[in-house]
Amino acid sequence: MNQAFEKMKMLVGMEVEDEEQPQEESSFAFMEDFNRNCTLSTKQRLYGFVTCLVAGITCTLLSMLVFFNPVKFGVTFSFGNLLALGSTGFLIGPKRQVAMMLDPVRIYATALYIASIIVALFCAVYVHNKLLTLVAIILEFGALIWYSLSYIPFARSMVSKIMVSCFDTEF
């Protein structure tokens, strides 16, 4: 049972407690200090992950209740996305989360996704323009899909080819 639990921990990227892994030099000195000072047990990580994920999904679903008020929708939808995004930080750790987000394969998708969340929140909270907020939410939803596809091997290239073939039909 313990071996299966250790294998599951390795699959999701959590460090195995029994083995001492060599420290490597990286540019994430702050994140290394943060990881070292904020060690959580496996049970605490799973509780944090589930709590943030459920809260994020709840916020996203509750945002549908205020769909016709783009300002409230933008705030709750964006907050739900941020909670869901942060939930994986509990599961794999903040250092690995940031490293995966800044991976050259998905750096542009990450930047677009985070920028679209910021723009949606800015339009909803500061500008109070319903049309701009609606456009920002549509952009955020598209960026969320593109960011999510970056974690599935060859998914973005497959979707791109399908989209090109759909719009490249001759009449």
Side-chain angles (χ1 to χ4, degrees), residues 154-166:
F154 304 109
R156 290 188 301 177
S157 62
M158 184 175 62
V159 169
S160 296
K161 287 178 184 177
I162 290 171
M163 294 301 289
V164 167
S165 66
C166 286

Side-chain angles (χ1 to χ4, degrees), residues 84-149:
L85 182 64
S87 69
T88 56
F90 279 102
L91 195 60
I92 62 175
K95 179 183 173 187
R96 186 155 184 228
Q97 171 77 19
V98 171
M100 288 175 67
M101 290 174 71
L102 297 178
D103 188 43
V105 172
R106 68 184 57 89
I107 184 79
Y108 297 116
T110 301
L112 181 64
Y113 181 48
I114 292 174
S116 67
I117 291 173
I118 292 169
V119 168
L121 286 173
F122 179 77
C123 290
V125 174
Y126 185 72
V127 178
H128 294 290
N129 186 325
K130 290 183 178 183
L131 182 62
L132 280 177
T133 304
L134 189 62
V135 169
I137 290 167
I138 293 169
L139 175 69
E140 181 179 347
F141 188 71
L144 169 64
I145 292 171
W146 196 250
Y147 174 77
S148 299
L149 288 175

Side-chain angles (χ1 to χ4, degrees), residues 4-68:
F5 193 62
E6 296 295 324
K7 280 186 178 182
M8 184 187 87
K9 286 167 60 175
M10 288 190 311
L11 281 174
V12 296
M14 298 173 80
E15 294 181 12
V16 180
E17 296 166 357
D18 296 335
E19 300 174 11
E20 191 66 32
Q21 297 176 352
Q23 295 288 331
E24 58 185 44
E25 283 295 317
S26 81
S27 61
F28 296 112
F30 170 75
M31 294 303 283
E32 287 177 10
D33 290 340
F34 185 76
N35 278 344
R36 202 173 311 118
N37 293 329
C38 296
T39 56
L40 299 174
S41 70
T42 304
K43 192 175 188 179
Q44 290 171 330
R45 284 179 180 259
L46 289 175
Y47 282 153
F49 168 72
V50 170
T51 302
C52 275
L53 185 63
V54 167
I57 290 171
T58 302
C59 281
T60 304
L61 292 176
L62 286 176
S63 70
M64 300 302 167
L65 295 175
V66 291
F67 180 74
F68 293 109

